[in-house]
Amino acid sequence: MKPFIDLKAQYLNIKDEILEIINEILESSHYILGENVRKFEDEVKSYLGVKKAIGVASGTDALHLALKALDIGKGDEVITTPFTFFATVEAITYVGAKPVFVDIDSRTYNIDADKIEEKITPRTKAIIPVHIFGCPANMEKIIEIARKYGLKIIEDAAQAFGAKIGDRKVGSIGDIGCFSFYPSKNLGCFGDGGMVVTNNEDLADKIRILRNHGSPGRYIHNTVGLNSRLDEIQAGILRVKIKYIDHYNELRRKKAAVYTKYLSDAVITPDEPTNVYHVFHLYSIRSDRREKIMETLQKHGIPSVVYYPIPMHLQGALKSLSHKEGDFPVAEKISKEIFSLPLYPELAEEEIFQISQIILRCLQENYS
Ligand SMILES: *Cc1c(COP(=O)(O)O)cnc(C)c1O
């Protein structure tokens, strides 16, 4: 079986730099909250064009800390998408707030901004748009709604480091932006890691204290926080990789375009709204013959994965919200048709051609 994402190919290309920085950190014996975390936070600030960046232990913690910093809790409602990775919703439940879902747009698979307003109640405190698969959500409309109703915006940019709307990078557009550096993300480390970014200094100060046991100074605790720090080795690895992120994203876009060229007449290929820079964390296509195509690919040693087969409102863990099939028809339909093909910066174009040919042949045979 070929890899779905070839993390080793990427490592081998930057191996010397990675080993050098890891060795430096090991020799320094400074493993938690040292100069690499500080420098990586500075590099993220200048890359995204934000005032503050705080390294944390994961993308899930980034969301949890963002909600805590905004004092969102019991009795509050947070609007988000049912078509995401579970962590988005998990974080809302961590603070005791209620996730309120809004169906998605059938082309970008992001929250349908035109359906947000009808879900707003006096208890609504925030909106969490997710830039799914690396495609920015409709932030212009979401900001307009947030202003009108006095809501906060937390961007879940876990899949979209470097994605843009115009020349604004996602994560820098709402009140708080949250990133994940899980190894398979488009900017990934070699373990768990995350980042919270904001232009609001008070929120940044709060998050900085909350990530370290609510401690503003040694053995002083004014609030209860988390143990959620990005560690030095992961920060060091990310300092090497962030230098190449624009190059990696460009390669992802180029390879996505090759797939689209071959496949757009046979399946539903990803959309890129005007003025948007999609970073293709995943290359996801739709077909009503998904199972057949996936099975055929599998037979040829090509992996493909369904992101995501069950929308959030139908997850067992969220039974208490009493949702049922039919509540979010677009998300449900897309979960039944969508699947992702191998895509990573080092993937050969010849390979994309072959994968596409297998899909096209499979669909032709299926017709006759
Ligand atoms: C990966 C991911 C997260 C969680 O990030 P972790 O670093 O794995 O905790 C949150 N939201 C989305 C959309 C993700 O893809």
Side-chain angles (χ1 to χ4, degrees):
M1 198 67 140
K2 296 239 156 69
F4 182 70
I5 299 174
D6 194 347
L7 293 176
K8 187 160 177 194
Q10 183 158 92
Y11 169 58
L12 293 178
N13 282 334
I14 52 173
K15 186 173 174 179
D16 292 346
E17 284 182 88
I18 296 276
L19 290 180
E20 188 183 327
I21 199 148
I22 291 178
N23 188 52
E24 247 173 56
I25 295 162
L26 295 181
E27 300 259 348
S28 79
S29 319
H30 198 153
Y31 303 129
I32 299 289
L33 298 184
E35 69 169 333
N36 280 286
V37 170
R38 240 178 353 256
K39 285 182 177 164
F40 180 58
E41 287 172 347
D42 286 343
E43 286 154 7
V44 168
K45 279 194 298 199
S46 69
Y47 182 84
L48 296 176
V50 287
K51 290 206 186 107
K52 299 283 167 182
I54 305 110
V56 299
S58 70
T60 309
D61 279 3
L63 292 160
H64 184 187
L65 287 161
L67 288 157
K68 260 175 106 65
L70 290 169
D71 293 319
I72 291 168
K74 230 180 162 53
D76 296 333
E77 294 177 358
V78 177
I79 288 178
T80 193
T81 164
F83 191 70
T84 182
F85 176 59
F86 188 62
T88 315
V89 183
E90 213 173 16
I92 298 170
T93 66
Y94 284 163
V95 297
K98 180 184 171 190
V100 173
F101 298 114
V102 168
D103 210 350
I104 59 173
D105 176 78
S106 65
R107 291 303 295 131
T108 63
Y109 317 131
N110 280 318
I111 190 166
D112 185 343
D114 292 327
K115 293 182 182 155
I116 292 176
E117 253 181 302
E118 61 201 62
K119 292 296 180 74
I120 294 173
T121 75
R123 293 177 298 281
T124 309
K125 289 285 153 42
I127 307 171
I128 307 186
V130 180
H131 307 298
I132 203 78
F133 305 150
C135 181
N138 181 356
M139 293 304 291
E140 197 180 333
K141 176 84 194 189
I142 293 169
I143 288 168
E144 185 190 311
I145 295 167
R147 286 219 179 103
K148 183 167 163 192
Y149 293 93
L151 308 177
K152 299 293 182 195
I153 300 172
I154 300 170
E155 291 177 74
D156 182 341
Q159 303 186 358
F161 198 94
K164 292 184 278 192
I165 301 172
D167 54 10
R168 296 180 78 188
K169 303 243 170 63
V170 302
S172 73
I173 301 169
D175 295 280
I176 301 181
C178 297
F179 291 92
S180 164
F181 306 122
Y182 184 80
S184 64
K185 300 289 155 102
N186 70 313
L187 178 62
C189 56
F190 298 166
D192 276 305
M195 182 77 68
V196 187
V197 303
T198 180
N199 286 314
N200 181 315
E201 308 207 353
D202 293 337
L203 286 175
D205 289 344
K206 264 171 114 171
I207 292 162
R208 205 168 277 286
I209 290 168
L210 283 170
R211 80 162 165 189
N212 195 20
H213 302 286
S215 175
R218 201 166 270 220
Y219 308 122
I220 302 163
H221 304 271
N222 300 332
T223 55
V224 174
L226 274 73
N227 173 356
S228 183
R229 301 163 301 215
L230 182 64
D231 72 67
E232 279 288 293
I233 290 182
Q234 300 308 336
I237 291 161
L238 288 162
R239 289 188 61 212
V240 172
K241 283 193 154 195
I242 196 174
K243 291 190 287 183
Y244 303 108
I245 189 63
D246 283 344
H247 177 57
Y248 293 152
N249 283 340
E250 270 299 311
L251 287 174
R252 284 176 181 279
R253 289 172 57 80
K254 220 170 113 196
K255 315 238 151 146
V258 176
Y259 268 127
T260 297
K261 181 180 75 186
Y262 294 130
L263 293 175
S264 61
D265 290 337
V267 298
I268 300 174
T269 49
D271 199 31
E272 186 176 58
T274 45
N275 205 28
V276 149
Y277 185 86
H278 190 323
V279 294
F280 293 96
H281 163 62
L282 289 167
Y283 185 83
S284 305
I285 58 174
R286 279 163 60 202
S287 169
D288 53 7
R289 277 156 293 164
R290 172 176 78 184
E291 316 310 326
K292 176 84 191 154
I293 298 172
M294 290 182 74
E295 201 180 289
T296 307
L297 285 168
Q298 165 98 22
K299 274 193 209 135
H300 285 82
I302 307 293
S304 59
V305 182
V306 176
Y307 297 97
Y308 294 95
I310 305 172
M312 294 305 109
H313 65 286
L314 300 177
Q315 293 288 353
L318 300 171
K319 268 205 298 272
S320 63
L321 296 174
S322 306
H323 283 299
K324 57 185 184 318
E325 198 127 355
D327 283 357
F328 302 100
V330 183
E332 288 166 27
K333 178 177 160 62
I334 283 158
S335 324
K336 292 189 181 95
E337 296 178 351
I338 204 152
F339 64 111
S340 304
L341 300 176
L343 182 79
Y344 46 90
E346 300 78 12
L347 180 65
E349 291 193 14
E350 175 59 24
E351 194 116 2
I352 298 174
F353 173 74
Q354 278 159 10
I355 295 169
S356 304
Q357 290 306 309
I358 295 168
I359 296 172
L360 294 175
R361 267 201 312 270
C362 162
L363 288 173
Q364 266 162 10
E365 280 161 22
N366 219 24
Y367 266 130
S368 50

